[in-house]
Amino acid sequence: MIKEVKGMKDIVAPEANSWEELRGIASRIFSSFSYDLIITPILEKQELFSRSVGEDTDVVTKEMYTFIDRSGEKLALRPEGTASIMRAYFSNFDSRSKVLKAWYWGPMFRHEKPQKGRYRQFFQFGLEAVGTDSPYIDSELIYVLDSFYKHIGIKDFEIEINSIGCKNCRPKYKNELVTFLRNNKSKLCETCAKRIEKNPLRVLDCKNDVCQKVIINAPKIKNYICDNCSSHYRKVLFSLNDLNIEYKENPYLVRGLDYYVKTVFEFVSKDLDGRQNALGGGGRYDELSSSLGEKTNVPAVGYAGGIERMFLVLENKNLDTYKKIYIAFLDEETREKYVNFIIKLKNFFAFSDKKVQIIDEGYKVLNAKKHLSKADKLVCSYAIIAGKEELKKSELVLKDLYKRKEEKIKIDIKNLDKTFSKILGGIVFE
Ligand code: HAM
């Protein structure tokens, strides 16, 4: 059989059901904070990313999946979502004063070395607020993310935050940093020694122990930022304090993508491996629209989190909240008579306000023992059992597989909904 592409994987049930559940939780929480779902294409023009994420970044130089399509256009499988949202803002709205608060969820592609927590197709959820420079949108964003992660059961994380200034104040810092790094070049890893001239800020991001020893003495950007950036940063921190959000200022936090200014932050998990320990990251990108060719800058802030990494932290916890009922037909005749009843029962559940899933395994006829062992493997809470005995009395058995209790339910042919309601009433939802 043909195998999947390296670094890309299928998500199948029950894991896929947990993904859907998580997506539902994300949707509810993010919508309450006035972020609306946005769905952008997976393919974009290549230059959208080279001009925003940055020509010299790893994402653009080494990791992007690019190709020329049949009409000769240079396209890329999106490596991230932020640039697309900024493009979508200009594609969909005439007014530059509009604030777009959008959230998304979908696959991203980066040709990286696959390992635990790092894949070539991975999923991100993201939130972006475009058209606002308010520091309170930065703090609200951090607040909603903190609330979301805690709600789904991820608690052991740290929020790291920093301000990396803007195009007015960063050059001065860069000069100081380059001087410092040149003086320490021999102590840096090979990659960072090369980065000094091209992308010195990325050295601060290096997880290599030798570089870490140098970085702790590097000049701190916070001491170089202009009044405007400093005032913005102070307001974000003040608001976070007031919201009782615990955070850690990391004066060396920079991000791997070029478009950031002012606030940058990461949610770092203590339960993830060293290099892949970020649940997600984000920050302000007030200058991104001008790098895409717009005359005026549209200020914006956002965040993206990795879905696979969330599940690694949750240890693949099953978030699926559907009650699973196994249907067990014990002989052919009963199956013939009852199968349409079960199909209609599924429809009744589909339109009820309860989440119930009937597991049918193709309506196979087996003996009771085999059926119950299957039901056990499929983590079903209940089984509906129907054989000759039940058929004779026009009833079925609803068995609670945990409590090992069963109830006989009479089928009222003239009023099926009444029978369906009875079955639903026999299921305990905690
Ligand atoms: P990023 O830091 O490149 O930022 O990615 C955000 C998160 O996506 C990472 O922290 C990680 O959880 C997940 N991630 C990234 N690459 C991989 C991979 N190869 N395999 C698995 N998970 C991965 C961005 O993408 C920015 N667009 C975030 C942003 C939004 N900034 C402002 N708005």
Side-chain angles (χ1 to χ4, degrees), residues 84-103:
S84 304
I85 303 298
M86 188 54 94
R87 181 203 47 69
Y89 178 86
F90 286 96
S91 305
N92 292 282
F93 308 111
D94 295 331
S95 158
R96 297 294 168 260
S97 60
K98 175 173 170 61
V99 174
L100 168 71
K101 285 178 88 184
W103 82 274

Side-chain angles (χ1 to χ4, degrees), residues 80 82 110 112 119 124 128 255 259-260 278-280 302-303 306:
E80 60 107 49
T82 311
R110 295 183 194 176
E112 298 193 77
Y119 314 98
Q124 278 185 345
E128 314 283 351
R255 306 257 311 124
Y259 47 61
Y260 292 106
L279 283 166
Y303 173 89

